[in-house]
Amino acid sequence: MVAFKGVWTQPFWKAVSGEYIAMLIFVLLGLGSTITWGANNSCQSADIVRISLCFGFSIVTMVHCFGHISGAHLNPAVTIAFVCTRKITLAKSVFYIMAQCLGAISGAGILFLITPPNLVGNFGMTMVNERLSLGHGLLTEILITFQLVFSISASCDPKYKNKYPAIAIGISVIIGHLFAINYTGASMNPARSLGPAVILWNWKSHWIYWVGPIVGAVCAAAAYDYIYCPDNALKEHLKEVLKKATQKKEKYAEVEDNRSQSGDDDLILKPGTIHVIDIDHDSKKGKDSASEILSTV
């Protein structure tokens, strides 16, 4: 039950509901940009620039609105990457991912209800180009999600000031779409692909849009936090843990990581000197807005 400490609080459920609402709006607007209203009321080829800008600007808006409420993950792959880098607990991430997926399905469902049937088309579903193999599609999703999450990690690093994370993240989404729409539909987000897949009940190659973004996100977050810009306090902590683990030879030594539970009341956990979003103390003033935003898409 220690893992669920801090879950049954009002601030946390405000954060979860924020993820749901933000994801609903993001998917509704993003998928809506893929629907073309032609002169003959028939589907035409989608405008790549329009779709890219809509997804990117939607992310900028949602990060700006919900960054201080929930961290504005808006992406199960980002949430899983933050679990791996100890920025959010596993128990809390489960509720985040559920809210994101439900929000995406709700947004896609609302759009489907208000769109004339003859204009629905493929409804913005992410599909691998017929000229590509599934392996190429998987690699594409890994690469574009890697650049997105690396951008998120860098722009939201509290050690560096005078940044505009919402804009940086939005631009990262835009360039990912401009590059990869013709390859895979440029998902970078399992929930974004889940919404239209559920509404149309089309699961063709859907696994690519979970495996690819998750692998790319975890690799990017780990590379930034542990290789390129590691936290000194975290490095010392890992050394202490490894030292204790090797003290007893040929015997199993259970090492208690006190640090991993020291911030269970926080919504987003960061080791060492990394800034923490504490939803139980949301009345604090003087917080750095850039460090409050932990993720998106």
Side-chain angles (χ1 to χ4, degrees):
M1 294 301 296
V2 175
F4 286 88
K5 185 180 180 182
V7 168
W8 316 117
T9 61
Q10 184 180 22
F12 175 74
W13 287 105
K14 285 183 178 180
V16 172
S17 64
E19 285 290 301
Y20 171 81
I21 295 174
M23 197 69 196
L24 185 155
I25 297 173
F26 169 66
V27 171
L28 174 65
L29 299 179
L31 292 183
S33 68
T34 67
I35 296 177
T36 302
W37 296 67
N40 298 322
N41 291 329
S42 60
C43 292
Q44 301 176 353
S45 59
D47 186 341
I48 293 178
V49 175
R50 183 185 70 247
I51 296 172
S52 301
L53 291 177
C54 187
F55 273 101
F57 288 144
S58 296
I59 280 297
V60 172
T61 305
M62 292 302 101
V63 171
H64 177 75
C65 293
F66 292 92
H68 62 290
I69 297 175
S70 66
H73 291 199
L74 306 182
N75 190 332
V78 171
T79 300
I80 292 172
F82 283 168
V83 171
C84 296
T85 53
R86 303 172 67 244
K87 294 183 178 72
I88 183 174
T89 63
L90 178 61
K92 292 175 180 178
S93 70
V94 172
F95 294 95
Y96 259 47
I97 293 174
M98 290 175 60
Q100 292 158 2
C101 291
L102 290 176
I105 295 172
S106 299
I110 293 173
L111 179 64
F112 186 80
L113 289 175
I114 64 177
T115 303
N118 63 317
L119 296 179
V120 170
N122 64 5
F123 202 55
M125 283 197 60
T126 49
M127 295 179 290
V128 179
N129 193 302
E130 295 179 355
R131 302 179 183 180
L132 299 177
S133 67
L134 294 182
H136 290 142
L138 178 63
L139 180 59
T140 300
E141 284 296 317
I142 291 174
L143 293 175
I144 59 177
T145 309
F146 183 96
Q147 65 86 22
L148 169 64
V149 177
F150 201 93
S151 174
I152 292 170
S153 300
S155 61
C156 297
D157 191 336
K159 297 193 294 293
Y160 305 101
K161 309 295 182 180
N162 301 321
K163 295 177 302 181
Y164 302 93
I167 296 177
I169 295 167
I171 293 175
S172 181
V173 172
I174 291 174
I175 63 176
H177 279 79
L178 288 173
F179 164 71
I181 283 181
N182 286 330
Y183 285 80
T184 62
S187 174
M188 299 178 279
N189 188 331
R192 174 258 182 271
S193 296
L194 178 67
V198 170
I199 298 303
L200 297 184
W201 206 250
N202 186 340
W203 304 98
K204 182 179 180 181
S205 306
H206 183 73
W207 64 272
I208 288 178
Y209 301 102
W210 283 87
V211 176
I214 290 174
V215 172
V218 171
C219 290
Y224 184 87
D225 283 13
Y226 299 130
I227 298 177
Y228 291 101
C229 294
D231 180 66
N232 292 330
L234 176 61
K235 291 173 63 177
E236 294 299 324
H237 172 65
L238 292 177
K239 288 181 180 180
E240 292 178 3
V241 172
L242 292 175
K243 184 177 180 180
K244 292 180 181 179
T246 56
Q247 283 179 349
K248 294 183 180 181
K249 296 182 178 180
E250 298 180 358
K251 292 183 179 180
Y252 173 77
E254 181 177 354
V255 180
E256 181 179 358
D257 186 355
N258 294 325
R259 289 185 48 157
S260 63
Q261 299 178 3
S262 62
D264 283 326
D265 291 333
D266 298 328
L267 173 61
I268 306 296
L269 305 182
K270 286 191 177 184
T273 59
I274 301 299
H275 177 78
V276 176
I277 296 181
D278 189 351
I279 61 174
D280 295 328
H281 300 83
D282 54 2
S283 61
K284 293 181 179 178
K285 298 181 179 179
K287 294 187 289 185
D288 178 17
S289 60
S291 62
E292 289 178 342
I293 301 172
L294 293 179
S295 85
T296 96
V297 199

